[in-house]
Amino acid sequence: MSSDPTLARRRADNVPLGIGLTVAAILIFGVQDAVSKHLVQDYSPFQLAMMRFWAFAVFSLILVMRQGPISQAFRSKSPWLQVFRAVLLVVDIWFFASALVDVPLAELQAIVLVYPLMVTLVAIPILGEKVGIFRFSAVVVGFLGALLIVRPGGLPMTWGVLYAVLSAAAYAVYIALTRKVSSQDSTATSMVYVGVIGLVMTTGVGIFFWKPMPLEDLGLVAVIMFTSTAAHGLMMVALSRAPASTVQPFNYTALPWGILLSFVFFQHLIDAVSFLGAMVIVGAGLVVMLRERSLARKGRVAPVQPAEEAPPH
């Protein structure tokens, strides 16, 4: 077996494969959301989040155990920040699942895609970053795009819309805290805290909302568990084949997948003005990403961490 590091590097780097796996993972996340939207009409979002987290917790713990003892992974220099991160991710998932009840899939995906713009704002107090007029203007434009979606005559202002915004906000703070702890703790430590805290939280709440499921619906829950694990696994492989900064923009393929799946599963098609608003959000987010990548090269903002690349839903 060859020990040439250059050859090993060439084998590891495969940008087209990394991009392809990212797009496939985002599609699988979309299918998971579509199945969840079907189930959440009859079951509590807390029950579904609990059952989904059972699979995610097992997945994360297996990955951590492959790297070393779990007890070692729990050793954090910022344990309370790690706990808060995990709580935020669970809250994000609860809000997103609640939004699925009455917000169409396409519009929901568009709204939650404002999270990179929110990261730019919350990074100011959490990471001490300075946001110039360029990025701040992109953030404002992105939020104006969101207003196009919820304009009078557009998407009705329901609790689901508020839950979608809160989901994006919780995930944005989660990302900023992930950047903060990544300079102190390993990825294994961050994963084990999310897996264990998330398992305890979702089970502690979800058990009170338990409703017996027929075999058919249990099969759909199994689909959610499988797709969640598979998508996260694909994202990890993608990030081992291509730089995070390269695959990150392809997370925005969640929008076209959301539009397609919303039509296929629920016969809902986003209207033209809402689609324009969604495009404004995506465009603003990409501008912010490109600007942050440029500033990261100069050491003026925290670099994007691979653990952030997979959407949580």
Side-chain angles (χ1 to χ4, degrees):
M1 181 179 295
S2 173
S3 59
D4 182 357
T6 303
L7 178 60
R9 179 69 177 173
R10 285 201 300 267
R11 288 174 177 170
D13 287 346
N14 189 332
V15 173
L17 176 61
I19 292 173
L21 291 175
T22 299
V23 174
I26 300 302
L27 170 59
I28 294 174
F29 277 122
V31 172
Q32 170 192 283
D33 292 341
V35 176
S36 297
K37 183 171 180 61
H38 170 74
L39 287 173
V40 84
Q41 308 304 318
D42 297 313
Y43 302 97
S44 167
F46 297 106
Q47 178 179 350
L48 297 178
M50 172 185 67
M51 299 178 76
R52 195 189 121 185
F53 235 100
W54 289 346
F56 178 78
V58 171
F59 173 71
S60 61
L61 290 175
I62 289 175
L63 287 179
V64 170
M65 286 189 293
R66 292 180 61 184
Q67 300 180 38
I70 292 182
S71 59
Q72 182 177 343
F74 270 107
R75 296 173 186 168
S76 168
K77 293 182 179 179
S78 303
W80 289 111
L81 281 182
Q82 290 286 9
V83 171
F84 189 39
R85 281 180 62 252
V87 170
L88 282 170
L89 187 59
V90 172
V91 170
D92 161 44
I93 292 173
W94 280 341
F95 277 134
F96 186 85
S98 298
L100 281 170
V101 175
D102 59 12
V103 180
L105 199 57
E107 284 84 344
L108 178 56
Q109 290 291 1
I111 293 172
V112 298
L113 282 177
V114 300
Y115 79 83
L117 307 177
M118 292 181 173
V119 171
T120 299
L121 297 180
V122 299
I124 299 173
I126 294 177
L127 300 175
E129 291 184 5
K130 294 181 179 179
V131 177
I133 188 65
F134 189 86
R135 280 194 292 165
F136 186 77
S137 298
V139 169
V140 171
V141 169
F143 286 132
L144 290 176
L147 290 177
L148 282 177
I149 297 175
V150 297
R151 73 198 184 279
L155 185 66
M157 283 296 295
T158 63
W159 280 106
V161 172
L162 176 60
Y163 293 148
V165 174
L166 291 174
S167 171
Y171 191 53
V173 179
Y174 165 83
I175 289 179
L177 291 178
T178 298
R179 294 184 181 183
K180 190 175 184 67
V181 301
S182 65
S183 62
Q184 304 171 338
D185 296 336
S186 66
T187 300
T189 296
S190 294
M191 286 192 66
V192 77
Y193 270 88
V194 168
V196 173
I197 299 296
L199 176 65
V200 172
M201 276 188 66
T202 55
T203 303
V205 174
I207 198 71
F208 293 102
F209 293 86
W210 180 264
K211 177 181 176 181
M213 290 182 161
L215 190 60
E216 178 182 354
D217 289 346
L218 284 173
L220 292 177
V221 171
V223 170
I224 292 175
M225 291 178 170
F226 174 78
T227 52
S228 177
T229 303
H232 280 286
L234 284 176
M235 286 299 304
M236 294 185 71
V237 175
L239 289 164
S240 71
R241 295 295 183 266
S245 59
T246 299
V247 303
Q248 185 185 29
F250 291 91
N251 285 339
Y252 281 104
T253 58
L255 180 59
W257 286 137
I259 293 172
L260 176 62
L261 293 170
S262 185
F263 180 74
V264 171
F265 283 90
F266 307 104
Q267 292 74 55
H268 170 79
L269 192 61
I270 190 171
D271 67 82
V273 178
S274 295
F275 180 75
L276 174 61
M279 290 295 98
V280 170
I281 294 172
V282 171
L286 290 174
V287 167
V288 167
M289 284 184 185
L290 291 173
R291 182 60 175 169
E292 288 185 347
R293 185 188 305 180
S294 174
L295 294 175
R297 292 196 187 103
K298 301 174 183 177
R300 292 167 57 187
V301 300
V304 174
Q305 300 301 317
E308 301 167 11
E309 295 309 306
H313 309 118

